[in-house]
Amino acid sequence: MTNRTTLPAAALGAASVLLLAGCSGTTPDDAATDDDALQVVASTSVYGQIAEQIGGDAVDVTSIVSSASQDPHAYEASARDQLTIQRADLIIENGGGYDPFVDALIDASGADAPVVTAVEHAHDWPENAGHDDSADDATHEHEHGDHDHVEGFNEHVWYDPHTVEHVAEDIAAALSELRPDDAAMFEENLAAFSEQIAQLEAELAGLAAAHQGEGAFVTEPAPVYLAAAAGLVDLTPPAFSEAVEEGQDVPPATLLEALDVIASGDVAVLLTNAQTAGAETAEAVDAAEDVGVPVVEVTETLPGGATYIEWMQDNIRALATALDA
């Protein structure tokens, strides 16, 4: 857990301007909040739901991005989001440039709540990433399309259950510090959550044992951690998945290369992100279906009514069904 993750000044300034855009947020009405509950604000419903599971009745959680129709990469924060952040007792962000609107909101509101940053627990997170704005630093944030992310790092860490377990530990520790009288409950909820994470990891280990080394085509980087945990090798041309993630056109030569990979017979499954789909993604999906490669669709936010564990179970089992087909 850190006090905050610093973004480059240009990113903060641009995101702060977006506060005036007045885009619709997901903040509940003030009258609906419990005055005695700790106010937890999460950048997306993924982390919001985990906070609910750990915090139980002691927390009131607001997830700024909660709809599958919203792309967190390009989310434009509203003045209402700023007020929500200002009132927070605890803030949870993904970090790594995935949800820079959170840092902009903290700056604009003057919020001083503790911040849990998920990417800091990723096994491949550079230690100095996001903490040094110097232009000549070896690891720094690059601007791509509508958002910034750390060069060479996949920020979609919630698709790695092991990382999420550590995030949950941070949430429990932060809540215990804020509300010591409920610390035992937070620890009990964390233990139950960790058991469920262990079950997810066991299912992934089973997939890896059966399908180690098989090829996967991943149209956008979100589910790459999940595919790797299942023992799959990512055969996607990097330029293809990066262009899709950034909302840019895939270069024609890259598209042809991608279609050749799909048709090669080396791809056991194609994974696609429903929230970043475009014409080239549709073409890749069609190509997979034409040669009998099963397609698994994922999202970046929770389906309505699902818990994080249920969502990951569904993703893992859909992947297992596809690989066994």
Side-chain angles (χ1 to χ4, degrees), residues 198-264:
Q199 293 170 3
L200 295 181
E201 292 184 312
E203 290 188 40
L204 286 167
L207 278 182
H211 300 282
Q212 186 72 43
E214 294 183 16
F217 189 100
V218 186
T219 63
E220 192 266 359
V224 165
Y225 287 113
L226 194 69
L232 303 180
V233 177
D234 184 8
L235 302 179
T236 316
F240 182 96
S241 56
E242 182 171 342
V244 172
E245 181 185 21
E246 306 300 340
Q248 300 172 353
D249 292 335
V250 177
T254 300
L255 178 58
L256 288 175
E257 180 186 1
L259 296 177
D260 286 344
V261 170
I262 293 169
S264 68

